[in-house]
Amino acid sequence: MKDMAHKYASEHEKTNLPFGMLCVNHNHLLGGKSASVFHVAACVELIILAFNILDDWQDQDHHRSPWMQDHAGQSLTVETAFLLLAMSKLNGFLGSQKNNLAFQLIVDRINRSVHGQFADIRNAPLKEEEYIAVIKQKSGALCALACLCGAMLAGNTTDLHLIGEYATGIGICAQLENDLDDVLHLGEKNDLIHKKWTLATMYLAHHPSRIGKAVASYFENRLSLDRLLAIQSLEAWIQSSGVILYTRVLIEAEKIKAKNIIDKLSVDETIKRQIKSFVDGIHFKADIPGET
């Protein structure tokens, strides 16, 4: 089991550990000085890894990941061990906060993400606001967890509700960006090929063009994958369909909401500007090609 855990952790390190960095950056922005922040950040990443393992088994994708190549029962046992270990360690690092507020917030965000994951498994086409609500729970809650852990270690318990709100917005932005990236290029991870409903694939399936109607037929099992991929310039059509602009507008709207919440923090204006700059640092993975 230890060998499997090390193997999974080594694979996870290749992600550049963005949730851990969220934790560390928020800790430093809010005046945190404790060296324990890196231990807390590692715990946050263990939780993320646990959710990634669970997500891959539920979606049956990312088959090259080491946990997908091991026996499901063993992989999911390691996943559970990661989650329990991280929660135990976080309670030790943050549990000194009065009324055990830290552990309550950790459990709450994990519980929200589990509910979001359950809703996501249904893989049903949703309205825009319904899909945003799902990723608010699934991805937003995990970003909030990372930021809240950094804030609590810095001793900031006054603004936890506000931090949780704008951090959730960061998570929504990140998920929308990932969803966009997962349709732009045809390959193993493409959400369109896997018939995974996201706002990006829903946009493409409702596109009024001939190819848009073909995409809809594919999702409705009236067109085979081979025939879909045989469409000339399919990838170029995806990139020029307007899906990039559509997603960009949604992300910018979430950033504006986050900045409005940041203005309400009980910290000085310099720190507010630094946090807003951090939010602006969420970059898009694609430029808008010529619209057609």
Side-chain angles (χ1 to χ4, degrees):
M1 183 173 176
K2 183 184 294 186
D3 290 340
M4 292 175 68
H6 281 293
K7 180 172 62 174
Y8 297 174
S10 295
E11 179 69 16
H12 185 65
E13 286 179 0
K14 298 176 183 178
T15 66
N16 296 322
L17 311 177
F19 288 86
M21 291 306 300
L22 269 178
C23 174
V24 172
N25 287 336
H26 268 72
N27 180 263
H28 290 166
L29 284 171
L30 295 171
K33 304 292 184 183
S34 173
S36 297
V37 66
F38 297 104
H39 297 287
V40 172
C43 291
V44 169
E45 285 293 349
L46 268 185
I47 293 173
I48 302 304
L49 174 54
F51 273 94
N52 284 346
I53 294 171
L54 181 62
D55 184 69
D56 285 351
W57 274 107
Q58 290 173 334
D59 291 346
Q60 285 296 299
D61 58 8
H62 297 174
H63 296 292
R64 296 182 183 178
S65 299
W67 46 85
M68 295 300 292
Q69 297 173 15
D70 289 331
H71 185 274
Q74 292 178 321
S75 294
L76 293 174
T77 298
V78 174
E79 176 265 337
T80 303
F82 282 152
L83 188 58
L84 293 175
L85 174 63
M87 291 176 67
S88 174
K89 292 295 184 180
L90 282 176
N91 190 43
F93 285 118
L94 303 174
S96 61
Q97 301 292 340
K98 56 185 177 181
N99 298 324
N100 208 19
L101 175 63
F103 192 69
Q104 293 174 24
L105 286 173
I106 291 166
V107 172
D108 175 68
R109 279 347 189 254
I110 291 175
N111 187 48
R112 292 188 193 188
S113 190
V114 168
H115 278 78
Q117 177 68 17
F118 182 82
D120 188 55
I121 292 172
R122 294 171 53 210
N123 193 34
L126 302 172
K127 295 178 181 178
E128 183 180 293
E129 62 272 18
E130 292 173 334
Y131 184 76
I132 294 293
V134 169
I135 62 174
K136 179 179 181 179
Q137 286 189 309
K138 182 182 176 183
S139 305
L142 293 178
C143 277
L145 170 69
C147 297
L148 286 169
C149 283
M152 287 186 288
L153 189 64
N156 187 321
T157 58
T158 304
D159 294 317
L160 294 182
H161 177 69
L162 295 173
I163 292 170
E165 279 194 45
Y166 76 71
T168 298
I170 293 174
I172 293 173
C173 291
Q175 185 62 60
L176 290 174
E177 183 179 337
N178 287 340
D179 289 346
L180 175 63
D181 193 56
D182 286 346
V183 298
L184 291 181
H185 305 288
L186 299 176
E188 179 186 358
K189 198 173 178 291
N190 187 282
D191 284 341
L192 191 156
I193 290 175
H194 288 287
K195 296 182 180 178
K196 180 174 174 59
W197 286 112
T198 66
L199 285 187
T201 58
M202 284 185 271
Y203 178 93
L204 297 175
H206 288 92
H207 199 280
S209 66
R210 175 183 61 85
I211 298 181
K213 292 177 181 177
V215 170
S217 294
Y218 174 65
F219 270 90
E220 294 166 1
N221 298 316
R222 294 189 289 111
L223 185 74
S224 69
L225 176 59
D226 288 341
R227 289 184 62 188
L228 179 71
L229 295 178
I231 296 174
Q232 290 187 348
S233 303
L234 175 60
E235 187 171 302
W237 172 80
I238 292 172
Q239 296 179 5
S240 64
S241 65
V243 68
I244 297 175
L245 179 60
Y246 168 64
T247 306
R248 178 173 291 182
V249 169
L250 291 176
I251 293 175
E252 285 302 317
E254 290 298 329
K255 286 186 176 183
I256 290 171
K257 291 179 187 176
K259 291 178 182 179
N260 288 337
I261 296 169
I262 291 168
D263 281 331
K264 299 177 183 178
L265 295 175
S266 60
V267 296
D268 64 50
E269 293 301 319
T270 300
I271 294 177
K272 290 179 184 178
R273 286 194 295 270
Q274 289 174 334
I275 298 175
K276 288 180 182 179
S277 177
F278 180 77
V279 171
D280 277 330
I282 303 173
H283 296 295
F284 296 94
K285 296 181 180 179
D287 294 323
I288 299 180
E291 297 289 319
T292 59

